[in-house]
Amino acid sequence: MNQKGKILVVDDDRLVLATLTHGLSQAGYEVIDADNGDDAILLARQHKPELALLDIRMEGKSGFDVAAYLREYCQIPFMFLSAFADEATIKQVKALGALTYLVKPLDIQQIVPAVEAAFANRPNQQPPQAVATAAQPAAAPTAAPAAPAAVDPLTDTIALAVGIVMHRYSLTRRQALERLQQQARQEGCTTAALGERLINAQEVLAGLGSI
């Protein structure tokens, strides 16, 4: 199987780590895993992954510490996986410039589309521009002038919906977006509204799998 890209997965829960590693490997990604922040930084420097999935609350270095290092010294984009969604956590997520933030518990079928979307966006945009969060990274001198001021990573509906369609039908990002837009036109609704329905349906299916 041709690997789609290299991902660093960091979580101090061994069961979660094993589940993510297996699921992403099955989806075609090369996965490097770590159960603590210190090892994560060493592995990132050694293997230079294209994306990192980070748990937030860990002993020693937190996911926030790892994210700050990846941004400043490795220029590696990242997303967070966490059981916490309080206001302070969300504020820190935005300040660090995460691609997205997924709240546990999560099924691998919910994570893969988000990963697909992150990788699909990389050829056209550098990671700091793709993030488009409240905080402006220090080293982003070539930011596109047309980029809006801020996009909440928790409500980037169309990107997540595109990722779901890409994963479900093995399409490119452009093909998946065109299919979404075509379906939206046929139903007489916006692409965002259709994407919201698709994401909700995905969450329902994931919930059925855990019953």
Side-chain angles (χ1 to χ4, degrees), residues 15-84:
L15 179 58
V16 172
L17 189 63
T19 300
L20 292 175
T21 299
H22 176 73
L24 289 168
S25 296
Q26 289 294 106
Y29 294 95
E30 178 184 353
V31 183
I32 306 153
D33 60 73
D35 63 1
N36 64 82
D38 290 305
D39 286 351
I41 288 173
L42 291 175
L43 289 170
R45 293 175 59 183
Q46 179 181 356
H47 295 281
K48 297 178 174 59
E50 297 158 88
L51 177 69
L53 273 63
L54 308 173
D55 185 25
I56 292 180
R57 301 196 182 183
M58 301 182 289
E59 291 188 13
K61 283 186 171 61
S62 69
F64 288 151
D65 296 328
V66 176
Y69 185 93
L70 296 182
R71 187 186 69 179
E72 296 298 326
Y73 299 102
C74 305
Q75 291 76 53
I76 295 172
F78 51 87
M79 58 179 64
F80 289 115
L81 310 173
S82 178
F84 301 92

Side-chain angles (χ1 to χ4, degrees), residues 67-139:
Y69 185 93
L70 296 182
R71 187 186 69 179
E72 296 298 326
Y73 299 102
C74 305
Q75 291 76 53
I76 295 172
F78 51 87
M79 58 179 64
F80 289 115
L81 310 173
S82 178
F84 301 92
D86 56 277
E87 184 177 347
T89 298
I90 300 299
K91 182 178 180 179
Q92 184 72 357
V93 166
K94 292 181 180 180
L96 284 167
L99 292 176
T100 192
Y101 177 73
L102 303 175
V103 181
K104 296 178 183 177
L106 286 162
D107 186 273
I108 190 65
Q109 295 302 321
Q110 294 170 274
I111 295 172
V112 169
V115 170
E116 297 272 8
F119 272 90
N121 285 327
R122 292 188 75 252
N124 299 322
Q125 302 182 40
Q126 294 299 319
Q129 297 171 352
V131 168
T133 55
Q136 295 274 342

Side-chain angles (χ1 to χ4, degrees), residues 189-207:
C189 64
T190 65
T191 305
L194 179 61
E196 185 70 30
R197 283 168 44 203
L198 185 60
I199 292 168
N200 289 339
Q202 184 78 8
E203 290 175 348
V204 170
L205 289 173

